[in-house]
């Protein structure tokens, strides 16, 4: 039984994604990313000298501050900060600037489902804008499981609340390579193996979980291409309004 | 998924690359020495990209990624504009918009001895040369050129300093002269110091000239050379 989604979207169809770089004039790197109605703004400051007390001084330290749209900072914000920090620590090259701290501030502008993938894309784009050395970019996607056992991608807030369970997965993005890597290649692009982050809500059987991962992985290449195209076609910084 | 015959592009030179892209395969290039500039790193047998930007190649063997950011990555031999943050017994701590504060030894001035140590206040703007920039260490600066002469290095008095991106600094310092500076120089008399770390200092006899030069440079950053000339001429007419 096929589920009817708002706006006539297919089960595997994603909402329109938009990403803009260099939106804040004072931050060292900034980006705003939107998945349909969900919008997140990310700013990067750094690298700055010195690490926190309990952090390894031989590596760069990444600090994430998550700011919700409304309300006080509580446990769920701390959880998002921890997830984002672990994801970004995976993609950043921490040994290039040892004994420094890079701060990433994520501000939720509007939450309409699929918030964590949107935040990961915004944070990645802001890191690229700031020139922080990265191993690869991260693309993330949210898959949820309906009552009838069907898997749909990129749910909106209403859909998320009605689902049995949903999972948010972050993968390394597809890369261009001069070496062909065998059958994983499609026209010069290759998809890395592995999952960076996986976060589940609700209950789902193990087989359905792996099915979600496979469906998400199938969406990496088109998603990476969209993000790269948006990141690339940015002109230099906005001109000053004075004069 | 149907398999198309995969054709990998032979080279990414002069194209936009993103972090993670593999640009060189070293196993096919034995017995060659390659020099890697900013934005590239060696990952086993391949060279992969760390920063997004345009991949550039210069004969015979230099590869680097060109990108423009608000922060600066110190490298030896660069001329930068620094701001004094603190003065210690042996060196001044200078901020050069990099990941760490830089050290300027107190004796790194022409004819510098323990008796005539310059007194720089906090906030002094200096034009300095980066001597050493190693990973994990604070960069070292000097107010002398390689042969020990003062050569324009030192504190910059009066004038106005503004910050922009490293890409703009490289454009202003390129040869042949950047169209903006050439057009401005034909009509106005001013003094300019450009640091590769994104700081630019302008000085002229009248404040209106300083403001015009600074605003022109900031506003024409993203325009093409032809558009820059037109815009500069428009702004110059306003002054008359």
């Amino acid at each position: 039984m096929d589920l009817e989604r708002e706006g006539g979207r297919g089960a595997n169809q994603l909402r329109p994604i938009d990403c803009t770089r260099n939106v804040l004039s004072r931050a060292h790197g900034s980006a705003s990313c939107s998945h349909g109605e969900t919008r997140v703004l990310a700013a990067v400051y750094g690298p700055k000298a010195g690490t926190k007390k309990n952090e390894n001084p031989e590596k760069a330290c990444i600090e994430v501050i998550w700011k919700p749209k409304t309300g006080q900072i509580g446990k769920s914000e701390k959880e998002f900060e921890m997830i984002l920090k672990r994801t970004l620590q995976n993609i950043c090259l921490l040994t290039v600037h040892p004994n420094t701290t890079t701060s990433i501030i994520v501000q939720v502008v509007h939450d309409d489902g699929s918030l964590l993938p949107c935040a990961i894309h915004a944070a990645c784009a802001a890191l690229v804008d700031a020139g922080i050395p990265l191993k690869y970019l991260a693309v993330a996607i949210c898959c949820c499981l309906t009552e009838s056992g069907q898997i749909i991608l990129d749910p909106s807030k209403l859909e998320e609340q009605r689902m049995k369970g949903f999972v948010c997965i972050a993968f390394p993005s597809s890369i261009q390579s001069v070496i062909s890597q065998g059958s994983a290649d499609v026209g010069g692009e290759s998809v890395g193996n592995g999952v960076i982050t996986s976060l589940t809500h609700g209950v789902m059987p193990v087989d359905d979980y792996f099915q979600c991962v496979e469906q998400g992985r199938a969406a990496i290449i088109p998603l990476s291409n969209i993000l790269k195209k948006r990141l690339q076609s940015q002109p230099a910084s906005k001109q000053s309004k004075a004069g | 998924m149907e398999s198309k015959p995969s054709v990998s592009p032979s080279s990414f030179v002069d194209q936009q690359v993103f972090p993670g892209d593999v640009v060189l395969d070293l196993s096919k290039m034995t017995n060659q020495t390659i020099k890697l500039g900013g934005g590239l790193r060696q990952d086993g047998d391949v060279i992969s990209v760390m920063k997004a930007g345009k991949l550039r190649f210069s004969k015979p063997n230099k590869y680097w990624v060109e990108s423009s950011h608000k922060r600066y990555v110190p490298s030896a031999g660069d001329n930068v504009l620094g701001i004094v943050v603190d003065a210690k017994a042996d060196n001044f701590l200078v901020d050069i918009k990099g990941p760490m504060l830089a050290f300027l030894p107190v004796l790194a001035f022409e004819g510098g001895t323990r008796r005539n140590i310059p007194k720089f206040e906090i906030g002094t703007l200096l034009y300095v040369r980066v001597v050493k920039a190693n990973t994990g260490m604070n960069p070292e600066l000097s107010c002398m050129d390689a042969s020990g002469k003062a050569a324009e290095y030192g504190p910059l008095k009066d004038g106005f300093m503004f910050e922009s991106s490293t890409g703009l600094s490289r454009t202003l310092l390129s040869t042949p002269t950047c169209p903006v500076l050439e057009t401005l120089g034909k009509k106005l008399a001013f003094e300019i110091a450009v640091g590769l770390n994104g700081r630019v200092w302008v000085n002229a006899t009248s404040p209106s000239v300083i403001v015009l030069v600074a605003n022109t440079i900031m506003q024409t950053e993203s325009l093409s050379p032809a558009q820059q000339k037109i815009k500069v001429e428009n702004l110059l007419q306003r002054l008359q």
Side-chain angles (χ1 to χ4, degrees), chain A residues 58-71:
Chain A
E58 290 186 28
K59 292 189 172 171
C61 165
I62 303 214
E63 176 195 11
V64 179
I65 299 170
W66 180 283
K67 298 211 175 271
K69 181 176 176 187
T70 54

Side-chain angles (χ1 to χ4, degrees), chain B residues 30 77 108 127 163 172 185 197:
Chain B
T30 46
Y127 184 64
E163 300 195 357
L172 290 173
N197 57 345

Side-chain angles (χ1 to χ4, degrees), chain A:
Chain A
M1 183 177 74
D2 266 349
L3 189 72
E4 269 204 13
R5 301 181 77 176
E6 223 178 69
R9 271 202 292 158
N12 278 349
Q13 208 176 347
L14 307 173
R15 289 176 289 184
I17 296 180
D18 193 25
C19 196
T20 344
R21 270 174 53 178
N22 205 3
V23 286
L24 301 172
S25 57
R26 287 206 181 272
H28 299 146
S30 56
S32 162
C33 183
S34 68
H35 283 214
E37 295 287 319
T38 308
R39 282 197 66 201
V40 175
L41 181 61
V44 169
Y45 292 90
K48 291 190 195 164
T51 46
K52 299 242 179 94
K53 264 195 202 168
N54 299 329
E55 304 274 352
N56 187 0
E58 290 186 28
K59 292 189 172 171
C61 165
I62 303 214
E63 176 195 11
V64 179
I65 299 170
W66 180 283
K67 298 211 175 271
K69 181 176 176 187
T70 54
Q72 282 189 329
I73 311 248
K75 295 267 168 63
S76 56
E77 282 74 38
K78 294 282 178 220
E79 186 189 356
F80 277 127
E81 283 177 14
M82 189 195 72
I83 296 166
L84 213 51
K85 177 175 168 168
R86 297 241 187 114
T87 311
L88 296 175
Q89 266 177 341
N90 186 294
I91 67 172
C92 287
L93 279 163
L94 298 175
T95 45
V96 178
H97 294 302
N99 205 15
T100 58
T101 307
T102 307
S103 310
I104 298 149
I105 295 135
V106 176
Q107 169 73 59
V108 176
V109 176
H110 186 69
D111 179 12
D112 187 32
S114 189
L115 180 62
L116 194 57
C118 197
I120 291 178
H121 292 153
C124 252
L127 287 173
V128 165
D129 191 39
I132 310 282
L134 302 175
K135 276 188 245 177
Y136 33 71
L137 298 175
V139 291
I141 194 147
C142 206
C143 315
C144 55
L145 186 67
T146 62
E147 307 286 335
S148 56
Q150 198 195 5
I151 293 176
I152 59 177
L153 297 181
D154 199 16
S156 68
K157 193 88 182 157
L158 288 175
E159 286 171 345
E160 257 177 28
Q161 283 162 349
R162 279 183 290 173
M163 291 303 153
K164 239 169 65 167
F166 66 93
V167 53
C168 165
I169 319 175
F171 300 95
S173 86
S174 69
I175 55 177
Q176 309 265 71
S177 170
V178 285
I179 332 176
S180 52
Q181 309 210 343
S183 55
D185 245 9
V186 178
E189 289 183 34
S190 49
V191 181
N193 296 320
V195 169
I196 303 176
T197 303
S198 158
L199 183 74
T200 54
H201 282 258
V203 185
M204 61 170 68
V206 174
D207 291 329
D208 285 337
Y209 172 76
F210 285 123
Q211 180 76 5
C212 283
V213 174
E214 284 318 308
Q215 273 198 271
R217 198 189 288 279
I220 303 180
I221 292 186
L223 199 51
S224 309
N225 287 340
I226 297 176
L227 283 169
K228 284 184 183 177
K229 213 162 57 158
R230 296 269 181 270
L231 286 179
Q232 163 176 344
S233 54
Q234 305 290 337
S237 54
K238 291 194 282 214
Q239 305 171 353
S240 66
K241 301 249 169 78

Side-chain angles (χ1 to χ4, degrees), chain A residues 178-179, chain B residues 22-30 34 41-48:
Chain A
V178 285
I179 332 176
Chain B
V22 171
V23 296
L24 277 183
D25 184 13
L26 294 178
S27 54
K28 296 207 179 98
M29 302 168 78
T30 46
I34 308 175
R41 69 176 174 126
Q42 182 176 2
D43 191 14
D45 244 353
V46 299
I47 305 287
S48 62

Side-chain angles (χ1 to χ4, degrees), chain B residues 76-95:
Chain B
D78 286 351
N79 294 333
V80 296
L81 260 62
I83 296 183
V84 175
V85 165
D86 200 3
K88 294 263 155 90
D90 272 341
N91 35 38
F92 297 103
L93 298 182
V94 179
D95 161 46

